[in-house]
Amino acid sequence: MNAAEFVARTGPVVLALPAVLLVAFVGRAVGRLVRQPTVVTEIAFGLAIGPILLSFGGGQRLLPEETIGSLRSIGHVGLVLFLVGVAHELRRTSAPAGGQLIGWTTAGALVVPLLAGCAFALAVLADPELRGTAPTAALVLLLAVSLSVTAVPVLARILEERELFDTPVGKLSMTVAVIIDVVAWLLLALALGLAAGGSGGLPRLATVVAAGLLVMLCLGRLLRTGAVTAFRARFSRVTAVLIGSAGLVSSWAFQEQGVTEIFGALLVGLAIPADGWHAVVHRVTRAGRLLVPVFFVVTGITVFGGQFGATPWFAIVLATALGIVGKVGGGYLGARLGGAPASDAVRVGVLVNTRGLTELVVLQAGYSAGVLTAPVFLALVVMALVTTAMTGPCYGLLERRAARRWKVAALVEEGSR
């Protein structure tokens, strides 16, 4: 490749990448302005830029296919690096006391949404335009997972902003979200394995996952050794580069074996010890957060460049309603069965209804694998944005109502004296 060809291939990418990052910056600024988690508006802006570009191009992609491919690779790198940090946060989360409360709340916030997802799958299977050609088992399982996910990174940010991390409700919500997401990632890998190879591929899928878990345990032991600890303390930046590279290699290896690359990134993050590694992993996460918006822009261009037909309003309304009822209702029911007061139970239900980036990753994996059709993908994206955006305002409303009741009770008590 001569210099002219190199410039011709890289020039559009060099020009497009700063524009994408600018869109993400504007999205974060708008999020802070409207008091929403910045990831919500960042996702919305990233997805919206796709149809905007298409409208300017008269329905044709303004960016060459090679440029879109390069941006897709950059977005993939950002996603993998970010997921390494997400998995490490799962590892660092400490559980509150009360195993029975955790068990019941997790069961409610996982099983009820899974059943809601199956109900949504029945509606999708009944409509040929929504159904697609994916195997029924893979489609039902993926839709069930899509309605059961809780976004740990976004939930962590909401808890931090509202100073809830050390409260019983905050600890319970975070612990439940961690357990649910671990189960969800495993179910996602199973759904994609079913889509790729049918039930006959399950033994191979189980073997690959088992091998990955074994490698994760070995990597965890290696990272705890004195030599690695000393190297990390002396060369933290180099260590961050090595951790990020390990995530990318693991992601590629799993993808080559027919398992979602997301699983490889998560295994590396889970292998990193909880103590002493936060600063190093933070560097990896920060690099991923910088590049993840590219993932959403490419998703918007890819999805909205296809043929949707009529807007799937029925699917959007049904997915959103089932998503809210499944998570809020399931979280509330589980917490109550575990012995939590009604006020705490409804707070937990509202918090675990957060989906955000984790949901988008699951949906993109399903769409890329051909399990989800474009209309179903759109419906679930809207559901993810709505349920995530409503978490903060709904929790604030519960707090204000509780404060008013406390004030009234205090006045009544004072008047009775």
Side-chain angles (χ1 to χ4, degrees):
M1 180 187 301
N2 56 39
E5 291 176 342
F6 178 78
V7 172
R9 288 191 177 186
T10 60
V13 178
V14 172
L15 294 174
L17 186 58
V20 172
L21 299 180
L22 177 61
V23 169
F25 175 80
V26 173
R28 287 193 291 270
V30 171
R32 288 189 290 268
L33 184 64
V34 299
R35 297 183 178 180
Q36 280 286 344
T38 55
V39 68
V40 176
T41 47
E42 186 177 309
I43 290 170
F45 274 56
L47 290 172
I49 197 65
I52 289 174
L53 289 174
L54 291 170
S55 65
F56 278 115
Q60 301 296 322
R61 295 178 181 177
L62 295 181
L63 299 176
E65 190 61 39
E66 290 184 357
T67 303
I68 294 177
S70 299
L71 290 175
R72 184 179 292 109
S73 299
I74 294 172
H76 168 78
V77 170
L79 180 64
V80 169
L81 297 180
F82 180 77
L83 288 176
V84 169
V86 169
H88 184 61
E89 286 298 323
L90 301 183
R91 180 72 179 271
R92 294 177 67 237
T93 301
S94 58
Q100 178 178 336
L101 178 58
I102 295 173
W104 276 111
T105 307
T106 302
L110 176 62
V111 176
V112 176
L114 285 173
L115 294 176
C118 292
F120 181 63
L122 292 177
V124 171
L125 291 171
D127 189 337
E129 294 185 0
L130 300 177
R131 168 69 174 84
T133 59
T136 300
L139 178 59
V140 172
L141 184 55
L142 186 55
L143 292 176
V145 171
S146 298
L147 266 66
S148 66
V149 165
T150 296
V152 170
V154 182
L155 177 59
R157 188 175 302 181
I158 292 174
L159 295 177
E160 183 178 9
E161 291 175 354
R162 295 181 174 271
E163 299 181 350
L164 297 172
F165 250 123
D166 294 326
T167 65
V169 169
K171 288 184 177 180
L172 177 60
S173 302
M174 195 65 176
T175 303
V176 168
V178 168
I179 298 172
I180 289 174
D181 275 14
V182 170
V183 175
W185 290 121
L186 292 173
L187 292 178
L188 173 63
L190 176 59
L192 297 183
L194 289 171
S199 59
L202 288 180
R204 181 174 177 275
L205 173 64
T207 302
V208 172
V209 171
L213 292 173
L214 179 61
V215 172
M216 182 193 77
L217 293 175
C218 294
L219 178 61
R221 287 183 174 274
L222 176 65
L223 295 179
R224 290 186 181 89
T225 61
V228 173
T229 302
F231 183 89
R232 181 204 70 206
R234 187 174 180 182
F235 305 103
S236 61
R237 292 185 178 180
V238 176
T239 306
V241 172
L242 293 175
I243 291 295
S245 301
L248 292 171
V249 171
S250 177
S251 171
W252 170 82
F254 272 89
Q255 189 175 27
E256 288 294 305
Q257 295 301 318
V259 181
T260 173
E261 66 271 24
I262 295 168
F263 198 68
L266 291 173
L267 286 181
V268 172
L270 290 173
I272 302 173
D275 299 326
W277 285 82
H278 178 66
V280 172
V281 178
H282 181 67
R283 294 179 184 273
V284 179
T285 308
R286 189 167 55 186
R289 286 285 295 123
L290 178 65
L291 298 176
V292 157
V294 182
F295 171 82
F296 297 118
V297 171
V298 174
T299 298
I301 294 173
T302 302
V303 174
F304 293 104
Q307 296 296 320
F308 274 97
T311 303
W313 292 113
F314 173 74
I316 291 173
V317 173
L318 182 61
T320 304
L322 288 173
I324 295 172
V325 171
K327 272 296 184 182
V328 178
Y332 173 83
L333 177 63
R336 289 291 286 157
L337 290 174
S343 58
D344 286 353
V346 71
R347 285 178 171 85
V348 171
V350 168
L351 288 173
V352 297
N353 193 37
T354 305
R355 287 178 173 87
L357 179 60
T358 306
E359 174 76 4
L360 267 293
V361 173
V362 171
L363 297 181
Q364 177 61 24
Y367 180 75
S368 299
V371 181
L372 300 179
T373 60
V376 173
F377 178 87
L378 176 61
L380 292 173
V381 166
V382 174
M383 181 273 295
L385 294 178
V386 170
T387 54
T388 305
M390 67 184 287
T391 299
C394 287
Y395 194 89
L397 178 62
L398 291 175
E399 291 289 280
R400 289 192 295 272
R401 290 182 61 185
R404 283 198 298 269
R405 286 196 298 268
W406 179 86
K407 186 176 181 179
V408 170
L411 291 174
V412 171
E413 182 179 354
E414 184 178 348
S416 63
R417 292 177 180 175

